[in-house]
Amino acid sequence: MRWAATALLALVGFAAALLLAGCALAGCALAGCAAPELAPIRDARPTQLQAGERMLVEASGPLFTVGAETRVTFDALGVTLPARAIAADRVVATAPSGAHVMGPSTVTVTQGEQRWTSDARAPFDVELCAPSLHRLANGWAARWPGPAWLWWMLALVAAAAIVAAPLPVVAGLIVVWERKISGYMGSRIGPNRVGPNGWLQWLADGLKLLMKEDIVPAEADARLFRAAPYLAFLGMFLTFIVLPFSRYAIVADLDVGLLFLLSVTSLVVVSILMGGWSSNSKWSLLGGMRSAAQIVSYELPASLALLTIATLTGSLSTERIVAAQGAWPWQWNLFRDPFTFVAFFIWFVSALAEGNRTPFDLPEAESELVAGYNTEYSGFRFSLFPLVEWVNIAVIGAVGTLLFLGGWRVPFVDAATLEGHAWLDAVGFAVFVAKDLAIVFVVIWIRWTLPRFRVDQMMNLCWTYFIPFAFVCFVGELVWVWLVPSTAAKLAGGAMFAIGGVGLSAWFVSRVRDNARRYQDLVLNDALGRGNT
Amino acid sequence: MTAAADEVVRVRADEWRATAERLRAEGFDFLQNLTAVDWIKDERIELVYHLWSYARRAGCVVKIDVPRAQPEAPSVASVWRAADWYEREQFDLLGVVFAGHPDLRRILMPDDWPGHPMRKDYVEATSYRGMPTTRANTLELLPIWDKSRGETKPDGAK
Amino acid sequence: MSERPGYFGKIAVAARTVAEGMAVTLAQYFRRPTTVQYPDRTRVPVVDSLPERYRGFLEVDMDVCTACKACERDCPIDVIAIDVEKRGDGRVMTRFDIDMGKCMYCGICVESCPVPAQAPGDAEPTKCIRMTREFEGATGEFSSLTFRFVEAGAPAPAYKHQKGTVPATPERGQIARAVRQRARAANPTAVRWSRVHQEGGALAELLAHDAVRARVAELAPGVTTELGPGALGAVIAGEALAKTDCGACGWPTCRAYAEAIAVGKERALHKCGPGGAKATRDVHLIVELARGATPDEAAMRAMAATLRRHR
Amino acid sequence: MGELILANETTGEEMVLNMGPQHPSTHGVIRFVIKTDGEIMREAVPDVGYLHRAIEHIAEKCTYEGFMPYTDRVDYVCAMPANHAWALAVEKLAGLEVPERAEYLRVITDELNRISSHCVALGAMAMDIGAITPFTYILREREYVNELLEMICGARLTYNYHRIGGVGWDMPAGWRDKVLAWCDHFAPVMDEFDRLITNNALFVARLANLAVIGAAEAIDFGLVGPNLRASGVDFDVRRDVPYSIYPKLRFEVPVGRGIVGTVGDAWDRYWVRAQEWRQSVAMVRQCLEQIDATEPEFWRAPKKLKPVGDAMARVEAARGDMSCYVVGDGGANAYRARFRTGSFNAMAIIREKSRGLMVADLVALIASLDVVAPEIDR
């Protein structure tokens, strides 16, 4: 009973922490909402101006009259630039000669005798993150003393906390789900004792690993050894910034979303290599080397597949990619045209390779390298590596959903109705999570079916099969977007959905039913009762 | 029930290598088994080679006697590759030295194990490198514990 | 598949076989799992679900045992020990032990037993010594796996078996369960263990301060710092050890062990098996007193050492 | 092995890896000293003897009947043929006759045990290549076989069922129908296993053309059983050196054909076993049909066994020709007993075949040869 008591205590503690964080943030958000109305000039970018460059000044409302003669002056520097109002709330100023450097000064726009200035305490030299967070930080900066950047930092940390808090829980739930799926696929049951039907097993494992001794091998390179897991966690955590879970639930809609995504996942490679090398064991070294070769070489086909989608949508921002897709399956990128259909499979398999998932789990191949790079780890430091791996599966699901399966788009709901009814956003979030979990199920399902590649076969597959096909898809996509008119594209989308989607899955369901029909269950000694009696 | 008793060939130790090559040429390409039997009473170790020919589906048994004090026989590892490990095992267990063997080392026992275990006059050491190789037999210890616990009978039963 | 697939052929084969494999695993996903949730969620206790010929723990029905020692003779690894004595006109078994920890459950003893027996609820007749369906015997101490079918004080008379009759015996498993319970309770270490945890147990009583002080008072006059190793050895052997010369400590006799302690060759002072906690405590007391420690100091150190060794 | 490592002292690029004796995929307590250059192995030197229990030495201490339980421990994955070998050898030595019904029961239990041994072999091979689910499927099927054998002789692994002169027990009531029901159940499972793993492209890619062993080389190294037949040698002790009632049964002997790679590669060794257990199921069915015609006597126990002379009996176990050479000098104990097992020679060839392979291939090679530690060290 002692053990169950500690688990209960930990659960209550965790829930309380979450609740506390939630209340604190809700309090701040409420305080933030009552911020004073915004300064007329909202934003002026870019901040450093060279000769001939143009600067965009945005107002917080439709203030300017197009065509009127306008001038933009930097009050602190005393410089005035001729400008042109291109829209009711936008003015473009051009720097005639010499390099103008804009420091932290306010900007005033004068048209005729009207003058509008920007708010001194709201530095807008960087487009921070989602507008709601942006306004929240502004509100704090306006109401309380202290430099504006401090409140920006606080807002960022709060956003990070919101995103990081559920990560261990998400990873834990996926671990338990995987163990249950692998159970039923291996004619076993999987965890069913801790918590309701086994769903609290992750908490028990987490606690156990917390209590286990954290050993650093004697001749290990101690600093690298200790730093490796945290680097991997950082790499995995950063990817959550650009993932659009729903219309509003996105931390920062970076214009270079996909690029950021790809570059951040390579941090995991560095950490695995550090872990493998610093454990000072030959087996770990082999594991580390294998994973470096694997992830680096599969980065290429993965990024090419992403580029195919980027060319289709015309932008790298995850927000726009989701916006460009419709809600119905035939409007998804997956069935948009044959090239994206192939690109999906290339991306999916490369993502498996980058996540060290079977059939590419060479770095921690049980039968050869015992546990590969994380053989020497134990205790809490060890628990970070599996946590990163299972969060990575969730990220694979999320990226797959937003790129190929139409992200959070809900049928019958377009952008306008979404503005009006905010609760529809939650439905979008649910749709996103459902598609994400579908991909996660496939990832887990593959692990419990396929054997493992050998190192040279894995490399050969990448360089002779995946990269050529990825290039073909990329170039094909360029030609497709350039040549095929939009009506024909829609028809192709429908056809692709019919053949690829419905046709393939119908064949597959018939194979599954055939397997189920042939197997005759046998019971020799049913006195004990099988399965979940 | 089984095939006709295979014909037994007795060979002297020094001419064994030539006989082996002749038998190999005749078609006995499979060295099925090599056993060394320690006849301690008449001071000899008998090497029994079982050969088999896949082509003729027939077997042949070769028996060689070597003196027990200093057992020495020519190695046939060059004729049949299977003999390599067989001879190492018989060397390990009965101390039969096979001249010309590529790598005559112990195969089953640890390298520095004293004596050859399958010899009839082998006495097992009670410990190896300080580790006891025998375990107290509970059946013998129990009477002693009964006597010594005589006075503190369990649950007070005097 | 006889011809080798080309570049695109390989892709097609790979896709098809991977899909086939995944179809199999998904089909299995919806079937009933075969796990039996032993030990707590089974419909019937596992022992009842085992087939009749299951070879679990041995049991001997002492009422029909003719003390012919056939089983002891035929057992390949001699795990059966029977002591027979003559009592008046008949023969009596004072000891019938089977070391189930060493037994390999081969059933040769059952085949060699001459006395047939019919247990209720069994389709096939069995013997006086037979295997039951009991198998749960996990214990902390190896010696508690020795089943003792003859009680300490009640020797069993040998049964006279008339040829051709099949005596009745109780249901298979009852005797085994009872004997296993007794074995767990009565084995030396279980006694030590239960003692330490029971109020007023022997070990606890041994280590109670006043008992130690009384013992120190007994030993103190005989033990002085001027004692030579020989004399000290004699005191240790005489006062502390169990004097059984059983060799459990690795020394041939108690005197040799005591001499070795006195001379300092033997560092470990707790190796007297039969003596147990009492011997360890007394040896420590004598050695500490011989080194000139005050009675209280010697008592404390001896208690600490004994507690550490016999926890 | 100490001086061996010193001899392999690394100079520059190569490193010495110590795989075993406690390693997930060495199928028991075996150790390999691997000299590798990164992934490619120069050589993998096996070091055996960790599981040596001196079974042949014990045979000299036990009576002929008392030694039978020890033969289970020679190869605990496939114990019945070992019982059979010892029973046959002593019967041949002492010239005993065995009732026909006992021979049928022996063959039925041998073939059932061969199927459960192949279950372990094929399942472990799939798991060493990385597919974990086939192993759990096949262990579920093996559980049925264990239950059947438990009903007839009371034990699941170390059966001690055969006796000198017959078998320990006759079939319990209703056992025959349960075995037939199991045979009907097992047929589709074998096909499902082929669909799941045998023809899987990754599995084939990992095993095709891996460690190809030619026919002459296999014979020279003394390989037997499935390893030998995979190299194209059409030899099976049950058919070519007939014993027991195998002449009365109709069965084919699968021989490697190099379907996906060349003849004698690792996939062929897998494929031969995957065909062999189909033949075993067919044989069990034939035996169960023919056994009713025999009279109910199943054991003619010899009175006092004090044979003189020597005898060799060959039995086709799951890992090939397990033969037992026993010498009797008139005493109640065997004067000398020698068990020749398949894994011993299979392990000898690994050093030769491992040159130039990758570490992952060594694991696949060991699994394909179906080497089991107790058989090597005895």
Side-chain angles (χ1 to χ4, degrees), chain C residues 31 53 55 77 106 111, chain D residues 70 152 159 163 170 192:
Chain C
R31 292 179 196 144
R53 291 185 184 162
R55 301 206 299 248
I77 40 176
C106 63
E111 273 158 30
Chain D
Y70 284 94
I152 192 168
Y159 306 107
R163 295 287 176 275
D170 197 347
E192 189 181 68

Side-chain angles (χ1 to χ4, degrees), chain D residues 187-259:
Chain D
V189 167
M190 289 188 275
D191 304 338
E192 189 181 68
F193 197 75
D194 282 352
R195 278 199 307 280
L196 176 63
I197 198 72
T198 311
N199 308 318
N200 187 300
L202 284 113
F203 192 73
V204 165
R206 276 295 295 276
L207 293 177
N209 302 319
L210 168 70
V212 177
I213 302 177
E217 195 178 9
I219 295 172
D220 197 18
F221 267 94
L223 287 189
V224 280
N227 299 338
L228 181 70
R229 289 191 283 277
S231 303
V233 178
D234 183 1
F235 176 80
D236 186 329
V237 177
R238 294 172 291 180
R239 185 194 60 195
D240 301 321
V241 185
Y243 59 96
S244 179
I245 44 115
Y246 279 107
K248 294 200 177 80
L249 302 177
R250 293 177 319 289
F251 60 97
E252 311 125 37
V253 174
V255 178
R257 293 206 292 269
I259 296 172

